[in-house]
Amino acid sequence: MQLYNTLTRRKEEFESLQKNEVKMYVCGPTVYDYDHLGHSRTFVFFDTLRRFLTYQGYKVKFVQNITDVGHLVGDADEGEDKLEKRAREQQINPIELARKFEKAHFEDMEKLNVLAPDESPRASNNIAEIIDLIKILESKGLAYEKDGNIYFDTSKYSGYGQLSHRRLADQKGQHDFTLWRKAGERNIQVWDSPWGKGFPGWHIECSVMAHKFLGDQFDIHGSASEHIFPHHENEIAQSFCGYGKIPARFWVHTGLLNINGAKMSKSKGNFITIREAVKKYNPNALRLALLLTYYRKPLDFTDSLMQQFQTIYQKISQMKSRPKSFRPKGGQQGAFKEFVDALKNDLNMAEALKVLESNAGELNQQDFEAIEYILGVNFTLEEKELTNAQKVLIKKRDQLRLSGKYDEADKIREDLKKQGIEIEDTSSWANVAY
């Protein structure tokens, strides 16, 4: 299997550090609001990667953090904590707010059939470990205090910029980043530390929790492309200087999701949460649509795209629903092998879905079970409420067939097909598929 590595800027043959085991860390939600469709694209992709690795025989340990403190507005290194800002707006305790949206996150993931992480540690539960790492960096002369805050000195780490491929010498401005922030008068979530009361910076939590649950080095670190710099760049600096190794061998990033060609924004009125989307669209078809575009490229989400994938989903579901005896015993050959081979090429989902849509009729039950597991999609025919006129047409068609008037019956069948109702006749019964 080949996988694109942001660190090396090329596709590489994937080999795990330990035989038959994969350790994987994916940046999780900042729990101050409901997850939106951009989040869902990232989480669905890494869930599919996890599933495909499991299908190939790996034992996968999957860790995804919960950010409930330290993530500042605009992903900045100065300013207001996102969670505390929202808690003040809603006049509730930030911990109460965090637990509310953490619960909502897992509910949304379940609706999209995203497997639960093996570990989902909270930043607020790992403050002691965060302080320990900062103390290590400080003892090595890599951290300094300014105005009560503790910063990482990027000039003292020669590897800084290796992930984003930026050289400090070519960049203007300050690149040192916060490890620990001094508590202000309005801050509620604060802890004692050797540097006084405060709270951790955003970047350091992932370094600490990944190390705690996966060790000095693991196989895959994933997130969206906007986290390459500075978030993941800073993670590498902290982890390498503190623990002695670049934390992950493969760094994998998903592209942005746009709505009707524009970046999603509440001010533009094109902001869609996951819970809104799963009410409007079939969650299985939605998951397929999110996987359509090559994962590293932007995905333009539109209603027409969803209409297309509702149709594709139903087409594949119809193929699956046909009697088993009509399907050849393909096993690991033919269309199924083409499907798997496409995924082995850096999860080329567009090619894999093309194979599936074109050749679903060749797949046997075992093939479908494997495909459904890998994609996280259950191909099931949707039930539609028939109108009285449609019921009359179906009854009339049955009568025509019993009378041997097959040409007239076929005309009705075509009319119904145009209405999204497909009738499949067997020697002993007819199946109505919607």
Side-chain angles (χ1 to χ4, degrees), residues 231-375:
H231 187 49
H232 286 173
E233 195 72 74
N234 294 349
E235 274 190 62
I236 289 176
Q238 296 161 155
S239 296
F240 183 84
C241 294
Y243 302 128
K245 291 184 178 180
I246 293 177
R249 285 193 61 243
F250 280 80
W251 293 76
V252 182
H253 297 91
T254 57
L256 294 174
L257 182 141
N258 296 319
I259 305 292
N260 297 315
K263 184 177 180 180
M264 187 161 43
S265 168
K266 287 184 178 179
S267 62
K268 294 179 181 177
N270 66 348
F271 189 89
I272 304 174
T273 65
I274 294 174
R275 50 191 49 211
E276 289 169 340
V278 296
K279 287 179 181 178
K280 185 174 182 180
Y281 308 113
N282 179 305
N284 288 289
L286 175 60
R287 181 165 171 134
L288 281 181
L290 291 169
L291 291 169
L292 164 69
T293 303
Y294 179 46
Y295 71 89
R296 294 179 56 234
K297 292 184 177 180
L299 168 63
D300 190 24
F301 187 89
T302 63
D303 273 332
S304 61
L305 174 71
M306 281 311 306
Q307 290 171 8
Q308 174 190 352
F309 269 86
Q310 296 271 33
T311 301
I312 291 172
Y313 172 76
Q314 286 298 346
K315 177 181 177 181
I316 297 171
S317 296
Q318 288 168 9
M319 293 293 186
K320 179 194 171 188
S321 71
R322 289 175 180 171
K324 294 183 180 65
S325 59
F326 281 60
R327 299 195 202 115
K329 296 180 179 179
Q332 301 292 314
Q333 305 303 314
F336 182 72
K337 184 177 184 302
E338 290 182 38
F339 174 85
V340 171
D341 286 347
L343 295 182
K344 285 183 177 180
N345 180 18
D346 196 23
L347 259 75
N348 188 335
M349 195 61 66
E351 184 62 29
L353 293 178
K354 181 180 177 182
V355 169
L356 181 57
E357 182 188 2
S358 302
N359 301 285
E362 299 178 17
L363 302 170
N364 61 31
Q365 190 64 33
Q366 183 180 359
D367 296 334
F368 262 108
E369 288 176 0
I371 288 169
E372 287 182 315
Y373 174 76
I374 293 167
L375 296 180

Side-chain angles (χ1 to χ4, degrees), residues 221-232:
H221 194 316
S223 190
S225 58
E226 61 261 35
H227 287 164
I228 294 173
F229 187 89
H231 187 49
H232 286 173

Side-chain angles (χ1 to χ4, degrees), residues 73-132:
V73 174
D75 296 351
D77 210 42
E78 300 286 341
E80 197 170 11
D81 182 291
K82 288 184 176 184
L83 198 138
E84 291 203 353
K85 180 176 185 292
R86 183 60 53 83
R88 275 192 286 273
E89 291 170 353
Q90 298 189 7
Q91 297 184 332
I92 63 173
N93 186 284
I95 297 173
E96 182 183 347
L97 183 83
R99 298 297 86 82
K100 170 188 173 180
F101 287 118
E102 180 181 325
K103 181 175 180 287
H105 165 74
F106 286 114
E107 289 172 348
D108 290 344
M109 293 301 98
E110 186 176 359
K111 289 169 187 173
L112 288 172
N113 203 21
V114 172
L115 299 172
D118 296 307
E119 302 283 353
S120 51
R122 298 168 180 159
S124 62
N125 289 345
N126 289 272
I127 301 299
E129 291 87 346
I130 289 171
I131 290 173
D132 286 344

Side-chain angles (χ1 to χ4, degrees), residues 105-174:
H105 165 74
F106 286 114
E107 289 172 348
D108 290 344
M109 293 301 98
E110 186 176 359
K111 289 169 187 173
L112 288 172
N113 203 21
V114 172
L115 299 172
D118 296 307
E119 302 283 353
S120 51
R122 298 168 180 159
S124 62
N125 289 345
N126 289 272
I127 301 299
E129 291 87 346
I130 289 171
I131 290 173
D132 286 344
L133 177 55
I134 298 173
K135 287 165 70 176
I136 291 171
L137 297 172
E138 191 177 47
S139 69
K140 293 181 176 181
L142 296 162
Y144 64 91
E145 184 272 337
K146 182 180 179 182
D147 299 327
N149 301 323
I150 307 299
Y151 294 90
F152 183 95
D153 188 344
T154 55
S155 69
K156 293 184 178 179
Y157 174 50
S158 61
Y160 194 79
Q162 60 194 302
L163 182 69
S164 57
H165 304 280
R166 303 181 181 202
R167 290 184 350 126
L168 277 177
D170 298 332
Q171 303 297 313
K172 294 181 180 180
Q174 175 70 33

